[in-house]
Amino acid sequence: MSRLNIELPGLTLKNPIMPASGCFGFGKEYSQFYDLSTLGAIMIKATTVEPRFGNPTPRVAETNAGMLNAIGLQNPGLQKVMGEELPWLAQYDVPIIANVAGSVEEDYITVAKEISQAPNVHALELNISCPNVKTGGIAFGTIPEVARQLTKKVKAISAVPVYVKLSPNVTNIVEMAKAVEEGGADGLTMINTLIGMRLDIKTGKPILANRTGGLSGPAIKPVAIRMIYEVSQAVNIPIIGMGGIQTAADVLEFFYAGASAVAVGTANFVDPFVCPTIIEELPNMLETLGFEHISECQGRSWKKHEQFAYHRA
Amino acid sequence: MIQKELCKIISQTEIATNIYELTVSAQLTREIVAPGQFVHLRVASGGDPLLRRPISICSYDRNKLQFTMIYRKEGHGTSLLTKMVAGMEIDILGPLGNGFPIEEVSSGETALLVGGGIGVPPLYELSNQLAANGVHVIHVLGFQTRAASFYEDKFLENGETYVATVDGTYGSKGFVTDIIKDIQFDCLYTCGPTSMLQAIAKQYPDEKVFLSLEERMGCGIGACFACVCKQTDDPTGVSYKKVCSDGPVFRAGEVLI
């Protein structure tokens, strides 16, 4: 019996582990290391209507226990993703979550409408939180009413459930989460990166050509845990948690906070095998801790014991 | 095929000021197909530094299943790397990228190898393989100063070798670009600082020139899009090459540097 299978809107996951968008391309690079069907799902790189080159280099800078990136949503554009990347991924038995990005509302709607029709796309991840593009992206992710409206419009035309990716760069994350829930979001994914900056010690100037970038990696894990802890108690839609996950223990911590599945991002760059390794280690860790199924861990940090009893019955 | 392997360190020596030669025993040596490929080293198992370090392969021996890297102690990651000694194991991902095309020059022809600083190491295996193919190899190596220079004697075994130092403490004073002006060649291979690569590409617009580029990398396998560069011939403005997986070696003129 599997201890790891999870049902979420649009997604039947054999396990709750998936690579995070932007950290896995469209899967090809990692397919040389392991069978992508091992994964619970794949969150593919953000797709925009037109191809994008992204930002100038340097695009990454390291920090203690993390990294800053300012890639700038480089992607081959909707047509190529529909015509080449998604059909290639269809050889694997793995649901795809398509990350949808844009500069204006119409962009999101155009991409969402078409990409949600792809047979292997089982859900959308609405990217209203990319910190590295000048227009759109984060503007939609920091004003609750704007986020609610966009969610509603995308939800109206999408053929599959819509998850909204929340930015941590806000004063009140709960307010944002509630707004997109009101807009009809089927789930949340959180957190995107935290805006940060590094300066060159010799020149005194920013290392990233974009000046600022998104901080990811283990450094941001406590922020993600706190935000998921708060949001999961305030909304009634599931959360796919992310932010610095490297190990099976990290995964459980995200579940305890209130996540129902998780995504692994930066750790893929350090160890290409990190996702299958976590998937392999999780059942033993659950066994050791006395859990029959990973879903028993969900929300443990704030749920009362009676609720656990109820769920088991 | 790229492997991830815990490799045993055979030796590590400081061969010049802040320049270290590191030899490891590795099954992945079997997978190395060309000089100029690189590996990605994980120098700390914790999170500091988090990412791997891209280091070029200086020479390899398929029979012994060993390869050697030369790197410069520069920041926190490479400083940690210098602390590792023979017998310890290091997590290596590789081989990565596409190396120098040795078939571009034939027996009896002349290859000019131009290296600057820590761009010199990958040219050593290239020199060995070209010399073994009967190619006449000429080396021009540039360093900041005498104390930072290395491997001149090894390159000399394969052919003429000229050294330049920026401060004039060894060889001729100045840059490699001054020395190579008078040298005739059929094919030029180079690795070093971007300013040097730009100067060489500009100096020989019509010759056969191959450049090995350096860029800040995330994953090293083409997934993160950190190390992209623009293609020269690009009417759309969105064409790109990834230095890690399409390069690091490109023909001059192929990408914007």
Side-chain angles (χ1 to χ4, degrees), chain A residues 32-214:
Chain A
Q32 61 190 320
F33 295 106
Y34 60 88
D35 178 2
L36 300 185
S37 302
T38 315
L39 298 164
I42 296 174
M43 293 169 145
I44 55 172
K45 193 154 172 47
T47 300
T48 52
V49 180
E50 300 298 330
R52 281 179 63 101
F53 179 78
N55 292 324
T57 57
R59 292 175 168 190
V60 294
E62 253 180 312
T63 62
N64 289 356
M67 69 181 279
L68 292 166
N69 88 80
I71 307 298
L73 298 181
Q74 180 161 23
N75 79 93
L78 179 61
Q79 291 321 314
K80 200 163 175 201
V81 172
M82 289 297 291
E84 294 175 28
E85 308 292 357
L86 286 168
W88 182 85
L89 278 163
Q91 66 184 295
Y92 297 101
D93 174 27
V94 61
I96 304 300
I97 301 174
N99 186 296
V100 173
S103 304
V104 293
E105 210 172 77
E106 292 71 46
D107 293 349
Y108 283 97
I109 289 166
T110 305
V111 176
K113 195 171 181 179
E114 191 167 344
I115 211 165
S116 68
Q117 309 278 345
N120 50 341
V121 169
H122 291 220
L124 300 185
E125 181 181 45
L126 199 56
N127 188 350
I128 58 167
S129 48
C130 178
N132 298 323
V133 288
K134 286 193 176 56
T135 54
I138 203 151
F140 290 102
T142 50
I143 305 166
E145 181 52 23
V146 177
R148 188 183 73 84
Q149 288 291 346
L150 182 68
T151 305
K152 196 175 172 186
K153 286 181 179 159
V154 170
K155 185 63 192 156
I157 51 87
S158 174
V160 294
V162 176
Y163 291 70
V164 179
K165 188 165 192 174
L166 297 185
S167 169
N169 303 301
V170 292
T171 313
N172 189 339
I173 187 98
V174 171
E175 199 186 348
M176 287 301 304
K178 282 183 165 169
V180 300
E181 184 182 34
E182 271 175 43
D186 297 283
L188 302 170
T189 68
M190 58 189 286
I191 56 175
N192 207 322
T193 55
L194 288 147
I195 300 173
M197 196 170 187
R198 264 204 68 197
L199 306 176
D200 186 290
I201 197 70
K202 285 177 191 151
T203 64
K205 302 291 182 199
I207 290 177
L208 296 172
N210 189 52
R211 300 194 301 278
T212 62

Side-chain angles (χ1 to χ4, degrees), chain B residues 82-249:
Chain B
T82 64
K83 306 280 196 301
M84 300 192 78
V85 296
M88 289 171 86
E89 285 183 325
I90 183 162
D91 178 347
I92 301 185
L93 184 71
L96 304 175
N98 302 292
F100 292 106
I102 57 167
E103 66 286 352
E104 288 288 338
V105 57
S106 317
S107 178
E109 290 186 320
T110 300
L112 177 57
L113 278 53
V114 186
I118 207 60
V120 168
L123 298 178
Y124 181 57
E125 180 68 37
L126 175 66
S127 171
N128 289 344
Q129 294 195 15
L130 292 174
N133 285 354
V135 173
H136 176 218
V137 195
I138 304 173
H139 317 98
V140 178
L141 314 176
F143 300 99
Q144 278 299 322
T145 183
R146 180 177 193 137
S149 72
F150 58 90
Y151 265 42
E152 183 194 4
D153 51 340
K154 294 201 178 233
F155 279 100
L156 264 171
E157 288 171 21
N158 292 333
E160 294 161 64
T161 303
Y162 304 92
V163 174
T165 51
V166 177
D167 64 1
T169 46
Y170 190 62
S172 30
K173 181 174 162 58
F175 295 99
V176 292
T177 37
D178 302 323
I179 300 182
I180 62 176
K181 271 185 213 144
D182 308 317
I183 301 174
Q184 301 295 312
F185 59 84
D186 297 293
C187 185
L188 189 154
Y189 300 93
T190 181
C191 182
T194 304
S195 54
M196 185 189 98
L197 303 184
Q198 284 166 337
I200 290 173
K202 203 175 159 196
Q203 202 167 334
Y204 300 106
D206 304 317
E207 312 288 324
K208 211 192 287 182
V209 174
F210 293 92
L211 319 162
S212 182
L213 305 190
E214 195 174 43
E215 184 56 77
R216 277 175 186 262
M217 289 179 188
C219 66
I221 59 171
C224 76
F225 289 79
C227 65
V228 297
C229 50
K230 294 208 171 198
Q231 281 178 241
T232 314
D233 176 25
D234 176 22
T236 63
V238 294
S239 307
Y240 63 90
K241 294 280 181 186
K242 298 170 190 166
V243 173
C244 69
S245 56
D246 296 318
V249 176

Side-chain angles (χ1 to χ4, degrees), chain A residues 220-243:
Chain A
I220 71 165
K221 198 184 91 179
V223 179
I225 296 287
R226 185 268 294 178
M227 288 184 160
I228 292 166
Y229 173 82
E230 290 177 356
V231 169
S232 62
Q233 296 177 71
V235 299
N236 293 305
I237 48 177
I239 296 171
I240 301 175
M242 62 196 69

Side-chain angles (χ1 to χ4, degrees), chain A residues 293-305:
Chain A
H293 195 274
I294 194 161
S295 57
E296 293 162 31
C297 303
Q298 199 265 331
R300 201 168 181 82
S301 58
W302 52 264
K303 277 182 187 168
K304 295 192 178 73
H305 289 300

